[in-house]
Amino acid sequence: MRGWSHVVLTLAIWATWGNFAAAQQTIVNVPSDALTPRGQAFYLHESQALPWTDGADFNTTNFLCYGLSDHTELCLTSYGVDNAGSPDGALGFGFKSVYQVFEERWPKLEMKLTYGFMAPVSHGVQDDAIGYFPYAHTSFEIPETDVRLLVGGAAGSENLFGRQEASILAGLEIPITDHFSFTGEWFSGHHNLSGLIPGFTYHKGRWIVVTGYKIPNNFEMRNSALIFEAGLFFGPGAGKHHDEGDHGGEHDSAAPERPGNIYRHYGTRPPR
């Protein structure tokens, strides 16, 4: 019943709180199924270079997250800061929660349920001073393989997406070594965050580095982008939750025994 209770809770939150939202650790821009360990903090800087576009050719996103509990992190996120005056800039306040579900019924799937909300507050010229970004997804492994998939949905306001729109979310993770993985994400639609981003993630100790290439959904390649991210964990025990299997809090005895469990960054699961 535990897995179903989290599913019902997620649907209730979507139905009741559809105008609020959160931000957090990500694959690149899609919220990931990883959490900042309890009592630790995580900072991530993302730069996007768009050398062929007619508009802003450089923009940044910055995340600062705090592990509030074994299942929830809080996050402050700066979106849309670019070299063209940042007309879509916003500062987001939110949270994300992750739970292991159906671990007794389908243990090989290592299934997780993630949901969150962010309230982006405009500092640009948008009409909506306070927006919304609710999302929810499930992630799971394909049994007997190293492939992990993520599928879900999200909705965004104009001061985050550039237009009011709902999106399908998808993610892919294929570990190559203990610290290096191929990762990919996809936002459907035609908004600021939409597009396909294949890339690679490296995580060792306190540091995470991500590189990727963003392909617009309309395949207008002059709007494609080179992406670079660098992240740092800090606080008590930072860097140990991945390399040494420290879960950063009380361990869920029903969860699969794999280094880092739900506390590792997406894309850093060791191969079998």
Side-chain angles (χ1 to χ4, degrees), residues 59-88:
N59 66 67
T60 68
T61 301
N62 292 275
F63 303 86
L64 180 62
C65 302
Y66 175 75
L68 182 66
S69 71
D70 289 348
H71 296 286
T72 299
E73 69 182 15
L74 304 178
C75 200
L76 181 67
T77 308
S78 172
Y79 283 100
V81 177
D82 61 35
N83 62 343
S86 307
D88 293 332

Side-chain angles (χ1 to χ4, degrees), residues 13-14 44 73 104 106 111 121 125 127 145 155 222 268:
I13 290 174
W14 268 81
L44 181 77
E73 69 182 15
E104 295 183 0
W106 300 308
M111 184 176 291
V121 179
V125 296
D127 291 334
T145 76
R222 66 179 178 179
T268 61

Side-chain angles (χ1 to χ4, degrees), residues 82-114:
D82 61 35
N83 62 343
S86 307
D88 293 332
L91 184 64
F93 301 85
F95 75 92
K96 180 182 73 176
S97 293
V98 180
Y99 291 90
Q100 202 99 29
V101 295
F102 302 125
E103 59 264 45
E104 295 183 0
R105 178 173 295 184
W106 300 308
K108 291 185 178 181
L109 293 182
E110 297 190 20
M111 184 176 291
K112 298 176 191 175
L113 177 66
T114 301

Side-chain angles (χ1 to χ4, degrees), residues 30 168-171 184-189 193-197 215 217:
V30 168
I168 297 171
L169 306 178
E185 70 168 46
W186 178 62
F187 263 101
S188 70
L193 300 184
S194 65
L196 174 67
I197 304 179
I215 303 170
N217 287 331

Side-chain angles (χ1 to χ4, degrees), residues 43-62:
Y43 170 74
L44 181 77
H45 169 83
E46 174 190 311
S47 289
Q48 289 195 27
L50 300 89
W52 308 282
T53 186
D54 294 332
D57 54 18
F58 180 78
N59 66 67
T60 68
T61 301
N62 292 275

